[in-house]
Amino acid sequence: MRMNTKNADSGRKTIPPKLVGVPRLIAATVNSAAGLKAAFLSEEAFRLEVYAFFLLSPLALWLGNGAAEKILLVFSLVLILIMELVNTAIETIVDLVTQDYSEYAAKAKDIGSALVLVSMLFAAAVWMIILI
């Protein structure tokens, strides 16, 4: 679970022991929900993509002919959300490591942004191929 405990002697945070079984699954679910909430609250792009997902998913289910088309249309939208989460994680880690300009930091952020762009181009291509 995410809860860190403080070491009374040094004031440093220690990593709690690993959970196993059902408690581990519950903790992972809680942490995942916290990650989704953090991304939604802190990233405007993620919020817009979530809104687009909820707007376009019903349309995909209505316009798709057969299960395969419906799955492809919806999956292409889910892929955008996944890539935005990966991009947000990359940006967060880079910002944690350095606030100074770095070619490596800029490259990492650009590649993360490219993930989102490629997923959006993929979604557009899927929608165009299926619907046109």
Side-chain angles (χ1 to χ4, degrees):
M1 201 163 198
R2 176 160 300 179
M3 299 183 321
N4 287 333
T5 58
K6 287 197 174 202
N7 185 331
D9 297 335
S10 65
R12 293 177 50 187
K13 292 183 179 181
T14 59
I15 298 172
K18 295 255 184 197
L19 300 172
V20 296
V22 174
R24 179 182 133 333
L25 293 175
I26 293 169
T29 302
V30 168
N31 292 338
S32 297
L36 286 170
K37 180 180 178 183
F40 188 83
L41 294 176
S42 68
E43 295 294 323
E44 182 180 10
F46 185 68
R47 282 192 300 274
L48 293 173
E49 291 155 356
V50 167
Y51 298 146
F53 173 79
F54 283 112
L55 180 73
L56 294 174
S57 289
L59 190 63
L61 297 174
W62 183 58
L63 293 174
N65 292 322
E69 285 188 3
K70 291 175 183 184
I71 289 169
L72 282 170
L73 291 169
V74 173
F75 173 75
S76 69
L77 300 174
V78 172
L79 186 62
I80 294 171
L81 296 177
I82 293 168
M83 292 302 113
E84 187 65 52
L85 289 169
V86 171
N87 181 44
T88 299
I90 291 169
E91 289 180 351
T92 302
I93 292 296
V94 168
D95 291 344
L96 174 68
V97 172
T98 182
Q99 291 295 315
D100 299 328
Y101 179 79
S102 161
E103 290 289 328
Y104 294 114
K107 184 177 180 181
K109 287 185 171 191
D110 289 346
I111 292 169
S113 183
L115 282 169
V116 179
L117 176 62
V118 169
S119 69
M120 288 180 172
L121 293 173
F122 173 77
V126 166
W127 280 67
M128 288 186 343
I129 290 167
I130 290 175
L131 300 178
I132 295 179

